[in-house]
Amino acid sequence: MSTPSLLLDNVTRVHGSGETAVRALDGVSLEVMPGELVAVMGPSGSGKSTLLNLAGGLDLATSGRVVIEGEDLSTLGAKGVAQLRRRRVGFVFQDYNLIPSLTAAENVSLPLELDGERPGKARRHARQTLDLMGLRELSDRFPDQMSGGQQQRVAIARALIGSRRLVLADEPTGALDSHTGEDVLRVLRERCDEGVAGLLVTHEARHAAWADRVVFLRDGVVVDSTGHASRAEDLLDTAGARR
Amino acid sequence: MSVKQGLMALLAQAPMYGAQLRSEFEERTGGTWPLNVGQVYTTLARLERDGLVEPVGEPDAEGRISYRLTDAGKAEVGTWWSTPVDRDNTPRDELTIKLALAVTVPGVDVQAVAQTQRTATLRQLHDLTRLKQDVLRKQRAAESGAAPSEAPAANEGDEAGRDGNHDLAWLLVLENLIFTAEAEVRWLDHVETRLHRESLRPFRRSSAGETAAEATARVEAEETAYRLEDEGQPQTGRAGARR
């Protein structure tokens, strides 16, 4: 059994104290294996963003363990967490967060350059990553020369440059139309099929359906998880279909 | 949709015999609406009686008779394409009835009913999305395999075009099922929010097992809480419920 890319073990996050304390997450356990895409759904205020922030080391758990590729974040210290975040975790946000004055290739190479890689080598690597994802023609374009869907696919390339094998996506299709959103999910799905682990926060069931399973949060607690799929043939039988 | 219009739409393309009509219908709709051959022949007999189709020539060696549209049949197909589908005869929906009853029958955990359904529908959505991914993958493979220098022979091209159209038909059927399932999940989200809001209202229905006196006392206490809050004296006891 391989090491989980992400493990949350009985994680609780409390904001504030005393009577005004709010338990944003309450005893959540979750595992994402390499090659697995897990979607997190739940109503507003259910703790989805808190979960993602904890998973990416942007916030600290009040209790419980957050472990990324075998490393317990609580044992690393601020510097260690920052380094781990830079090298192992990629973030994808709803509004892409590309730097407007840099080309796609420069945006994608940025995490490597920040981590001390020489610019030339980092750019070459960025172009390779863009090629691999079928985005070669975008390499020299600036963000304002790309559509929203193209920017988001570049953002996924940036999230996965170098040795990063865990991608945390917060409503990555939120600003995109149905077809473009689907292209972005397809790219994410393909990365996961090739061994990347993904955690996808979304409020759209149609998008969550691209994941291997869906975890449902309510009031900071996991109330349900869909587990793995039934056979498609059974599904079509129940839908009155036969193929 | 009636089988009648479906079969007539197929006959508008070319004359066909019963078994041919059945397999074409199922192939183009992804087998979502399976037909039995008896149903096809009964429908053809009615269409012939009504002057909408007519047999073409003599039966073939295996005794099969092909049918084609009459002019009246062609006009009827034209009308079908240009007329919106009548959804007034909505079939009774068990889920709607179940939830309507759940909120009125004491002792039923409505949220649990909604969550159980949501889990099942998300699974269904996941499986449908997997089937859709298979079709998309097949389409992409066909696109990348069709290099310009390898122009297929005329017959091969026809065959590929036919397969492509059938894949497109199957994709549209799948996407219809996906959007329907998604709509159900969205409605369940809405139900949950509605239930939450109702639970905050002072004049909500009595909880299960509550006596009339207890219900009156509860409503009075809640009214007082609301009044005090309106006057700028928040009640700490309700803070948790409002986050």
Side-chain angles (χ1 to χ4, degrees):
Chain A
M1 182 97 180
S2 56
T3 311
S5 299
L6 173 68
L7 172 71
L8 271 72
D9 179 19
N10 201 19
V11 169
T12 294
R13 177 68 171 104
V14 181
H15 295 292
S17 60
E19 284 197 347
T20 56
V22 174
R23 296 176 91 80
L25 275 191
D26 197 355
V28 168
S29 293
L30 173 70
E31 206 177 75
V32 187
M33 299 303 290
E36 196 180 26
L37 179 61
V38 176
V40 182
M41 294 187 78
S44 299
S46 58
K48 302 189 295 289
S49 297
T50 303
L51 189 150
L52 209 63
N53 289 341
L54 288 168
L58 297 172
D59 188 11
L60 288 177
T62 308
S63 65
R65 291 188 311 142
V66 177
V67 183
I68 294 176
E69 294 178 340
E71 302 236 37
D72 186 338
L73 299 196
S74 65
T75 65
L76 294 178
K79 210 172 159 185
V81 171
Q83 191 187 62
L84 181 131
R85 205 166 50 219
R86 218 165 42 237
R87 293 183 179 167
R88 311 247 189 110
V89 187
F91 292 88
V92 179
F93 304 95
Q94 180 172 334
D95 46 5
Y96 331 130
N97 283 17
L98 297 181
I99 296 174
S101 58
L102 300 180
T103 63
E106 288 164 347
N107 264 289
V108 173
S109 70
L110 201 59
L112 293 184
E113 292 183 50
L114 289 174
D115 203 31
E117 186 63 83
R118 281 182 291 110
K121 196 172 173 189
R123 299 279 160 82
R124 272 199 301 282
H125 202 116
R127 284 175 188 280
Q128 280 166 3
T129 305
L130 287 166
D131 273 7
L132 194 73
M133 290 173 58
L135 303 172
R136 177 187 301 198
E137 77 280 5
L138 303 179
S139 294
D140 297 319
R141 289 200 208 165
F142 290 93
D144 65 0
Q145 297 170 319
M146 294 186 269
S147 69
Q150 289 171 329
Q151 289 187 60
Q152 195 60 299
R153 280 178 283 165
V154 169
I156 293 175
R158 181 184 57 187
L160 293 169
I161 184 100
S163 55
R164 300 196 277 182
R165 290 292 172 265
L166 171 63
V167 61
L168 306 175
D170 194 358
E171 301 278 5
T173 55
L176 303 173
D177 66 57
S178 172
H179 279 280
T180 319
E182 198 165 86
D183 286 343
V184 168
L185 288 166
R186 185 171 53 75
V187 165
L188 190 58
R189 179 71 257 178
E190 284 171 0
R191 296 298 95 198
C192 291
D193 288 342
E194 286 167 13
V196 161
L199 191 64
L200 164 72
V201 165
T202 180
H203 66 276
E204 292 206 48
R206 190 157 40 86
H207 293 162
W210 286 72
D212 295 296
R213 59 196 162 92
V214 180
V215 171
F216 200 88
L217 282 179
R218 187 186 298 123
D219 295 333
V221 177
V222 174
V223 289
D224 213 344
S225 177
T226 58
H228 285 278
S230 53
R231 288 187 323 134
E233 292 80 3
D234 298 342
L235 169 85
L236 286 174
D237 279 347
T238 55
R242 211 173 48 211
R243 183 174 167 85
Chain B
M1 187 202 85
S2 85
V3 173
K4 174 184 145 184
Q5 276 94 357
L7 297 187
M8 287 175 68
L10 289 175
L11 290 177
Q13 194 183 353
M16 287 179 218
Y17 52 82
Q20 229 174 349
L21 278 168
R22 178 192 162 196
S23 67
E24 282 290 326
F25 185 84
E26 291 197 358
E27 199 174 330
R28 293 180 198 213
T29 56
T32 315
W33 293 284
L35 299 179
N36 67 56
V37 80
Q39 200 177 359
V40 174
Y41 279 110
T42 313
T43 308
L44 281 172
R46 275 199 217 115
L47 289 171
E48 189 180 3
R49 181 198 65 196
D50 297 341
L52 298 169
V53 304
E54 60 193 5
V56 184
E58 295 300 309
D60 66 9
E62 292 177 48
R64 296 175 302 204
I65 305 172
S66 289
Y67 288 85
R68 69 179 166 216
L69 290 182
T70 61
D71 288 344
K74 287 175 192 162
E76 173 112 356
V77 173
T79 307
W80 186 56
W81 292 126
S82 60
T83 312
V85 173
D86 177 10
R87 294 204 185 275
D88 283 350
N89 294 324
T90 311
R92 285 184 210 130
D93 180 71
E94 187 186 341
L95 177 61
T96 315
I97 294 168
K98 192 191 246 189
L99 277 161
L101 289 173
V103 294
T104 50
V105 174
V108 178
D109 183 344
V110 190
Q111 204 169 54
V113 173
Q115 186 60 42
T116 303
Q117 186 64 43
R118 189 191 340 254
T119 306
T121 310
L122 283 172
R123 274 204 190 109
Q124 184 189 31
L125 203 48
H126 173 273
D127 291 354
L128 289 166
T129 304
R130 274 286 150 112
L131 290 171
K132 177 177 164 172
Q133 281 173 256
D134 289 344
V135 180
L136 294 176
R137 252 195 298 272
K138 196 174 154 197
Q139 282 184 333
R140 279 201 306 281
E143 279 165 21
S144 60
S149 58
E150 298 167 15
N155 283 347
E156 284 176 32
D158 289 350
E159 188 75 5
R162 186 174 169 278
D163 279 359
N165 285 342
H166 286 194
D167 281 346
L168 177 62
W170 173 224
L171 194 59
L172 292 181
V173 171
L174 275 175
E175 286 180 333
N176 173 272
L177 295 170
I178 286 170
F179 276 87
T180 306
E182 185 196 29
E184 186 173 292
V185 174
R186 287 182 70 175
W187 178 66
L188 288 166
D189 290 346
H190 176 80
V191 165
E192 197 170 32
T193 309
R194 173 71 67 207
L195 289 171
H196 182 64
R197 284 195 186 161
E198 287 295 316
S199 74
L200 295 178
R201 283 162 63 95
F203 297 108
R204 69 181 178 211
R205 286 185 184 84
S206 306
S207 301
E210 197 175 42
T211 65
E214 284 165 345
T216 308
R218 176 173 55 75
V219 168
E220 279 174 2
E222 285 172 346
E223 277 181 326
T224 308
Y226 266 78
R227 188 165 43 75
L228 288 174
E229 189 163 289
D230 285 345
E231 289 164 6
Q233 299 175 45
Q235 300 294 291
T236 49
R238 293 175 60 216
R242 301 181 70 222
R243 74 182 144 89

